[in-house]
Amino acid sequence: MKAGLVFGTFAPMHEGHMDVIRTALAECDKVVAVCCGHDGDRGYPDFPLDKRHEYAVEALKNMDVRVMKLEDTAVEVKKDWTDEQVWEFWAARMRVHLSEEGMVDYYGDELIWYTSEADYEQLLTGAGQKVRKCEKVRDVSATKIRNAPAKYAGCVIKPFDKGFEGRI
């Protein structure tokens, strides 16, 4: 089976993420959205990892998408690694975690990473992963949303708008 993997910090999840998820749904037998991060990442303080995971589960509940949370490996573990080593390790860890959670068959499923980011495509391909680069159809990013929440309010996926109370 083809298993599509859409990953991100989702801080917040936005319409651009949904475009990638919809592409994966159209092309794969199953899709997993993975909320990644750690304490102090770009999602804090408004979007701690547990809250992002909770919101993603709620946002995707009516879609055929499984949602998983994966905390990043401690920075000190990776401090002397190359980008290639970091991404190889992360991809292998992701596959194991997905298998342990029963979301993919470790040996039986073809795992395809879905992204609209060229740098992620390059890093994952360099780490030996199969990647589907989706074209961006919207000029939106979580960084743009965090920096100008009122301007991009229409792009924020509910319930992630709760992280901007009073600002959008």
Side-chain angles (χ1 to χ4, degrees), residues 12-14 140-150 152-153 155-156 164:
M13 185 178 279
H14 54 74
V140 64
S141 72
T143 301
K144 287 180 178 181
I145 293 169
R146 288 191 305 274
N147 290 338
Y152 293 99
C155 296
V156 177
F164 294 104

Side-chain angles (χ1 to χ4, degrees), residues 1-3 29-30 95 99 104-111:
M1 294 183 87
K2 283 186 179 180
D29 301 301
K30 53 186 163 184
R95 183 180 276 283
S99 180
V104 300
D105 179 329
Y106 189 89
Y107 295 105
D109 286 339
E110 174 187 12
L111 186 61

